[in-house]
């Protein structure tokens, strides 16, 4: 039976009328760069069943840390094989692709996202011990979020973090910010390097939908798709014609202070056969968990996905054949490279849906009670 921890045991007891519910130990650990809001109006003890959840993986395990407007963000990678050539520049390439402020259609926040490796690498080679990667925050704008201390932002995680923990960062989104993904991109760059070296596996992702602009699947050749084709425009759509349509769709709402969502398609070529373990550790289940833990995700599908429900079994089945090299293949790939939760060697094809960005330039109204009777509780996210 899981044990429950009360807020008293975590935060320290507070005398009635006390201005600070933080224990002396936590007060010493608090960073002046991060403003923390702690709810004290509830007389009931806050029940926290599970406070952890920042690690993922088994053999190759990643733990991310840091907040949006704290001192920095990063990760600890445990389980990397030894003697893998690795430098900060290997990680920096993908971090630069993730970096904000690259174009008018991304967040205007300016960060260099320069990474530092402080353990697990010696003389340019991994040692097999945990790798620590840190990226400092340089564009901290905590005052931009001053209203968060009195009102929850619509469709952000402010309210749910407060409901669960009774304590939350009131500068940016804290751990729920997209800045947390730095701690995924860095180990992802290393994982791609390992997979390429040992199995010849390639992983590519591109934007396949923005709002109502949908890139037809038959316009992208997954067998021959290149990173250069994806990086050829600011929206990262490999088809130039649809890329322009997507950029126009974003500009149309961006100039009005609004936002739209979209879909990212990811493919894995030359994935080893036999990845995934029935029944609860199926490969698509693991991929879904990893993808759906990304901020702003609202949907996941692989292979034919939801559109497969419009087909009959005869139409959907992937017929087997033996190719010229004596290798068992499938003539079609509606299974998305995974059958029975196990990779079959075909291209793994998955799609992730992202909701419209919750941070917009339009004034929105909050609940008066939640705003603690503030006269003006309009939100401009």
């Amino acid at each position: 039976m899981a044990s429950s921890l009360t807020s008293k045991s975590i935060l320290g007891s507070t005398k009635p009328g006390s201005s600070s519910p933080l224990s002396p130990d936590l007060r010493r650990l608090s960073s002046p760069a991060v403003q923390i809001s702690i709810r004290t109006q509830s007389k009931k003890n806050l029940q926290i069943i599970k406070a952890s959840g920042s690690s993922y993986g088994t053999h190759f395990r990643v733990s991310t840390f840091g907040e949006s407007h704290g001192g920095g963000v990063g990760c600890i990678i445990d389980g990397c094989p030894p003697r893998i050539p690795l430098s900060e520049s290997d990680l920096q390439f993908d971090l630069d692709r993730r970096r904000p402020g690259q174009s008018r259609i991304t967040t205007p926040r300016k960060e260099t996202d320069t990474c530092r490796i402080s353990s697990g690498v010696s003389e340019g080679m991994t040692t097999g011990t945990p790798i620590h990667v840190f990226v400092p925050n340089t564009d901290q704008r905590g005052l931009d979020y001053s209203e968060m201390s009195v009102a929850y932002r619509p469709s952000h995680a402010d309210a749910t973090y407060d409901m669960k923990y009774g304590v939350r960062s009131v500068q940016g989104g804290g751990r729920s910010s997209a800045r947390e993904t730095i701690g995924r991109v860095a180990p992802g760059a290393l994982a791609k390097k390992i997979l390429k070296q040992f199995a010849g596996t390639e992983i590519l992702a591109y934007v396949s939908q923005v709002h109502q602009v949908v890139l037809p699947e038959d316009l992208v050749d997954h067998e021959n798709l290149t990173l250069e084709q994806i990086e050829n425009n600011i929206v990262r759509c490999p088809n130039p014609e649809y890329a322009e349509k997507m950029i126009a769709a974003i500009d149309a709402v961006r100039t009005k202070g609004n936002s739209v969502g979209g879909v990212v398609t990811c493919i894995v070529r030359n994935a080893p056969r036999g990845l995934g373990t029935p029944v609860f550790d199926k490969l698509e289940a693991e991929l879904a968990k990893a993808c759906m833990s990304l901020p702003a995700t609202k949907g996941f599908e692989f292979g034919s996905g939801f559109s497969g429900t419009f087909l009959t079994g005869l139409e959907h089945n992937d017929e087997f054949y033996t190719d010229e090299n004596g290798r068992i293949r499938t003539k079609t790939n509606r299974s998305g490279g995974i059958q029975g939760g196990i990779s079959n060697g075909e291209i793994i094809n998955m799609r992730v849906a992202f909701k419209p960005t919750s941070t917009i330039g339009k004034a929105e109204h909050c609940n008066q009670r939640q705003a603690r009777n503030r006269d003006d509780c309009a939100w401009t996210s």
Side-chain angles (χ1 to χ4, degrees):
M1 189 176 197
S3 61
S4 300
L5 298 176
T6 67
S7 59
K8 180 178 179 180
S9 63
I10 291 178
L11 302 177
S13 59
T14 306
K15 296 180 180 180
S18 174
S19 60
S20 174
L22 280 173
S23 67
D25 288 341
L26 283 179
R27 274 199 295 269
R28 285 195 296 270
L29 291 173
S30 296
S31 168
V34 180
Q35 183 182 352
I36 301 295
S37 172
I38 300 181
R39 234 173 346 111
T40 58
Q41 65 270 29
S42 175
K43 295 182 179 180
K44 295 181 180 179
N45 284 334
L46 178 69
Q47 300 294 319
I48 301 179
I49 304 300
K50 182 180 179 183
S52 61
S54 295
S55 299
Y56 178 77
T58 305
H59 302 293
F60 186 89
R61 188 167 182 81
V62 176
S63 299
T64 71
F65 61 84
E67 290 81 28
S68 176
H69 286 266
V73 293
C75 65
I76 296 175
I77 307 166
D78 200 5
C80 175
R83 299 180 300 280
I84 300 292
L86 182 66
S87 66
E88 290 163 341
S89 61
D90 292 325
L91 309 181
Q92 197 62 54
F93 176 78
D94 280 328
L95 287 173
D96 287 343
R97 294 181 66 225
R98 195 222 73 96
R99 182 171 49 83
Q102 296 187 49
S103 70
R104 68 180 185 274
I105 64 173
T106 65
T107 173
R109 181 172 178 171
K110 299 293 183 182
E111 292 280 0
T112 61
D113 284 357
T114 303
C115 71
R116 297 199 301 263
I117 298 176
S118 57
S119 69
V121 177
S122 177
E123 297 181 351
M125 302 286 281
T126 59
T127 62
T129 57
I131 300 171
H132 179 272
V133 182
F134 179 70
V135 174
N137 291 332
T138 58
D139 185 18
Q140 300 175 5
R141 294 176 293 167
L143 293 178
D144 290 356
Y145 300 92
S146 57
E147 287 183 312
M148 283 181 63
S149 61
V150 295
Y152 301 135
R153 296 173 298 170
S155 287
H156 286 72
D158 309 338
T160 50
Y161 267 57
D162 208 4
M163 292 170 186
K164 180 174 178 65
Y165 300 110
V167 53
R168 62 189 176 95
S169 169
V170 295
Q171 293 177 322
R175 289 290 288 158
S176 64
S177 168
R179 190 144 184 79
E180 181 269 342
T181 59
I182 284 178
R184 303 164 186 251
V185 172
L190 175 56
K192 287 193 298 181
K193 187 180 181 74
I194 296 171
L195 288 170
K196 180 70 173 178
Q197 178 176 327
F198 286 93
T201 304
E202 296 178 293
I203 304 170
L204 293 169
Y206 62 90
V207 175
S208 56
Q209 178 181 339
V210 168
H211 198 36
Q212 298 179 9
V213 180
V214 182
L215 174 65
E217 290 186 16
D218 57 1
L219 292 185
V220 182
D221 180 5
H222 285 170
E223 294 281 356
N224 299 298
L225 179 66
T226 66
L227 181 62
E228 289 72 25
Q229 290 174 312
I230 297 171
E231 292 291 308
N232 197 38
N233 53 75
I234 60 175
V235 79
R236 292 191 170 120
C237 171
N239 182 279
E241 178 185 352
Y242 276 84
E244 290 301 319
K245 293 179 181 179
M246 292 176 182
I247 294 171
I250 296 173
D251 282 338
V253 296
R254 180 183 61 84
T255 55
K256 298 177 182 177
N258 213 339
S259 64
V260 292
V263 174
V264 170
T265 295
C266 178
I267 64 168
V268 182
R269 292 194 295 237
N270 299 319
R273 295 180 176 189
L275 297 178
T277 304
V279 291
F280 292 111
D281 295 328
K282 292 181 177 181
L283 181 56
E284 67 264 39
E286 292 290 347
L287 293 172
K289 181 176 182 179
C291 290
M292 290 301 292
S293 66
L294 289 165
T297 51
K298 287 298 179 183
F300 174 86
E301 60 180 0
F302 74 99
S304 62
F306 290 100
S307 64
T309 62
F310 294 102
L311 304 177
T312 64
L314 182 61
E315 294 169 322
H316 192 275
N317 286 346
D318 294 322
E319 185 180 341
F320 289 105
Y321 76 101
T322 303
D323 66 14
E324 61 274 13
N325 298 316
R327 184 181 174 91
I328 297 176
R329 301 283 307 278
T330 60
K331 290 184 177 180
T332 53
N333 191 25
R334 297 184 183 92
S335 298
I338 303 172
Q339 293 171 323
I342 302 171
S343 60
N344 63 8
E346 302 296 331
I347 293 177
I348 295 174
N349 183 343
M350 53 188 163
R351 291 168 295 282
V352 186
F354 292 86
K355 68 177 182 177
T357 307
S358 299
T359 300
I360 59 176
K362 290 280 189 180
E364 297 182 88
H365 291 278
C366 62
N367 181 279
Q368 284 283 357
R369 180 180 177 185
Q370 176 244 316
R372 301 171 191 172
N373 298 318
R374 187 181 176 202
D375 293 334
D376 177 16
C377 68
W379 245 117
T380 304
S381 301

